Amino acid sequence: MIEAMIMLVVVGTCAIVWQDVLRARDRAIAASRELCARAGVQLLDQSVSLRRLSLARLRGGGIGLRRQYTFEVSTNGSDRHRGSLHYEGRRLDNFSLPLRADDPSLASLTRLN
């Protein structure tokens, strides 16, 4: 009986972790789409992928996950460049995108929260 309860707790914990991973990836995809649209670059191949995952002390003082996602973009339709998103917990902390040759200013981009 105790083995069944332990197994149920393990399976339930795995399901919760899996759901959190999927929600975080969905947030990263949405943020990368919006940033690419604002910057006038094309997000390629739905290429958002988790590159790094670590525990970190968050700005609020607690401990949470720090995630880094990478993705590929094109500035003119025939090239490929790498962009990245950095999350602390559920908050987008930083991002990087390549500059387009015809629009060197990304001043219109603001952080997404």
Side-chain angles (χ1 to χ4, degrees), residues 15-37:
I16 290 169
V17 168
W18 184 255
Q19 286 293 333
D20 183 60
V21 167
L22 292 177
R23 277 193 299 265
R25 184 169 188 273
D26 288 343
R27 282 192 305 271
I29 290 170
S32 62
R33 281 184 186 150
E34 184 173 341
L35 287 169
C36 288

Side-chain angles (χ1 to χ4, degrees), residues 6-113:
I6 291 172
M7 186 60 121
L8 184 62
V9 168
V10 168
V11 169
T13 302
C14 289
I16 290 169
V17 168
W18 184 255
Q19 286 293 333
D20 183 60
V21 167
L22 292 177
R23 277 193 299 265
R25 184 169 188 273
D26 288 343
R27 282 192 305 271
I29 290 170
S32 62
R33 281 184 186 150
E34 184 173 341
L35 287 169
C36 288
R38 287 184 185 181
V41 296
Q42 179 184 6
L43 179 64
L44 297 176
D45 307 328
Q46 297 299 319
S47 59
V48 178
S49 63
L50 182 65
R51 181 175 176 113
R52 184 173 293 148
L53 178 68
S54 61
L55 283 175
R57 183 169 304 276
L58 303 179
R59 291 185 184 173
I63 298 212
L65 291 176
R66 180 177 290 149
R67 293 178 170 103
Q68 179 184 357
Y69 292 91
T70 58
F71 53 93
E72 292 185 340
V73 299
S74 176
T75 58
N76 62 14
S78 64
D79 59 351
R80 291 178 97 84
H81 301 280
R82 188 166 302 267
S84 65
L85 301 171
H86 300 266
Y87 279 89
E88 283 192 359
R90 297 180 192 270
R91 188 178 64 82
L92 180 61
D93 184 51
N94 200 355
F95 64 88
S96 68
L97 286 172
L99 296 176
R100 285 183 25 196
D102 60 344
D103 185 16
S105 171
L106 290 179
S108 64
L109 291 178
T110 59
R111 286 203 170 128
L112 303 174
N113 289 325

